[in-house]
Amino acid sequence: NTDKKMIHNILSRGVLRTQLLAKQNLSLVKGNVNVVAFQTCQFSAAKKKKNGGPRKKFTKKEKDTFGPLYAIRELKKRSRANFNESFDISLHLGLDPRKPNQSIRTTIPLPHGTGKSAVVCAFVPDDMIDEVKAAGADMIGTDELLKEIEKGGNIEFDRCFATPEFQQSFKSVARKLGPRGLLPTAKLGTLTNDVVEAVKAAKCGPVNVRTNREGNILGSIGRITYTEEQLLENLRAFLVGIADNKPEGAKGAFMLSCSISTTMGKAIHLHPKACDPGSNFFMLEETEQQ
């Protein structure tokens, strides 16, 4: 019985090797078959996945791509969450961020915003404070605020704008604001002389995007409560904004794949041509592409 249990355990783990049999001097007869006679053979057991089963194969229908309007309607129909889900977009671009001039980091204004109210802080001269507040700024930056951030205080704003004369003031807090994308820079349009217009655009709900290590871009284009027309206009603005910021070092195909999803829903893949502003089929449905 001990020998049978040992053979069974070895077989269930994967490979039965002759060295193990020889070391234990095992001789087990089962159904007139001597196990020792098969010392030159190796028995392989089927390997099981750690997650408890074989990988699920996707059906052909799940691999299909669809037009933007169909995808938005389908996601709204599938929504079962009891909160206001966000519409998220995922782009896989033909970029390698490890190489120079092959990364994207920008801010894209959306016609109808993302549905999230951003807390805006503005560093402006005294004569511009009233104008900035009227534009929608929630906080006015001061030297005391920067000192609190430098000491480890809470950062209570989502967007930060400043005029160029305040650029030197951020040296002491650059390491705290920089990783969060809150450090005003000319590249992001947050260090500008026209802070009033920048604040107005920020209150409309622009989305900050940047490529990750795999060359993907993730972002939000609205909420489940938005109408189909609002989501389509936001999607168009998002894709055009990405295309307008195409890096100089990008070579070959740029828009490789695109999918949209809700917070708790399954993603739907869009047709690559329908997501490429340079294509004649941009924002068209699948039936029109055929």
Side-chain angles (χ1 to χ4, degrees):
N1 291 334
T2 303
D3 295 344
K4 288 182 180 180
K5 290 181 180 179
M6 189 170 185
I7 294 295
H8 176 73
N9 292 337
I10 295 173
L11 283 171
S12 62
R13 290 179 182 177
V15 179
L16 174 62
R17 299 185 182 278
T18 58
Q19 292 86 349
L20 296 176
L21 289 176
K23 185 176 181 179
Q24 298 294 335
N25 294 322
L26 301 179
S27 179
L28 174 64
V29 177
K30 181 179 179 182
N32 297 327
V33 178
N34 194 337
V35 177
V36 180
F38 292 89
Q39 291 182 356
T40 58
C41 300
Q42 293 182 343
F43 297 85
S44 299
K47 295 183 179 180
K48 295 183 178 180
K49 290 181 63 65
K50 294 183 179 179
N51 60 5
R55 185 185 296 274
K56 178 184 176 181
K57 294 182 179 180
F58 290 102
T59 61
K60 182 179 179 181
K61 185 176 181 180
E62 289 174 323
K63 290 182 178 179
D64 288 342
T65 57
F66 302 93
L69 181 58
Y70 172 85
I72 290 174
R73 286 177 177 173
E74 193 68 18
L75 289 174
K76 290 175 73 70
K77 189 187 303 182
R78 295 178 185 177
S79 178
R80 296 292 184 272
N82 57 359
F83 62 94
N84 194 9
E85 296 181 273
S86 66
F87 258 84
D88 302 320
I89 183 171
S90 175
L91 288 175
H92 180 50
L93 306 177
L95 300 176
D96 186 359
R98 297 172 297 178
K99 297 181 180 180
N101 299 328
Q102 287 205 32
S103 61
I104 296 176
R105 184 176 181 181
T106 185
T107 301
I108 301 176
L110 301 180
H112 305 285
T114 59
K116 180 181 178 181
S117 179
V119 179
V120 178
C121 178
F123 288 80
V124 294
D126 295 339
D127 58 340
M128 292 181 61
I129 292 179
D130 293 337
E131 295 182 27
V132 170
K133 285 184 177 180
D138 301 286
M139 301 173 60
I140 300 299
T142 60
D143 294 336
E144 289 74 15
L145 177 61
L146 293 177
K147 289 179 181 179
E148 290 181 9
I149 296 175
E150 185 179 1
K151 293 178 181 179
N154 294 331
I155 300 175
E156 300 178 351
F157 50 86
D158 303 315
R159 301 293 305 279
C160 183
F161 297 91
T163 54
E165 61 191 84
F166 285 89
Q167 185 173 10
Q168 300 299 325
S169 303
F170 291 95
K171 284 187 176 181
S172 59
V173 295
R175 291 186 177 181
K176 296 183 180 294
L177 297 181
R180 297 171 178 242
L182 298 176
L183 184 66
T185 60
K187 184 176 181 179
L188 293 177
T190 52
L191 186 69
T192 174
N193 289 314
D194 196 358
V195 176
V196 176
E197 291 298 325
V199 170
K200 289 181 180 179
K203 296 302 287 186
C204 292
V207 56
N208 295 325
V209 296
R210 64 183 301 178
T211 49
N212 59 16
R213 296 179 180 178
E214 291 77 26
N216 301 327
I217 284 183
L218 308 177
S220 176
I221 58 173
R223 298 281 174 172
I224 196 71
T225 53
Y226 281 24
T227 64
E228 295 175 358
E229 292 74 15
Q230 289 176 325
L231 290 170
L232 283 173
E233 291 177 7
N234 278 358
L235 176 61
R236 176 187 293 272
F238 186 92
L239 295 173
V240 170
I242 295 297
D244 290 342
N245 288 275
K246 181 178 179 180
E248 297 178 357
K251 298 179 181 179
F254 183 55
M255 297 275 188
L256 299 182
S257 65
C258 175
S259 62
I260 58 175
S261 64
T262 55
T263 305
M264 305 297 292
K266 184 179 178 181
I268 295 181
H269 295 275
L270 303 183
H271 197 286
K273 291 184 179 180
C275 301
D276 186 2
S279 171
N280 293 330
F281 304 110
F282 179 54
M283 297 299 293
L284 297 183
E285 293 303 298
E286 186 180 16
T287 54
E288 294 174 330
Q289 295 171 15
Q290 295 176 351

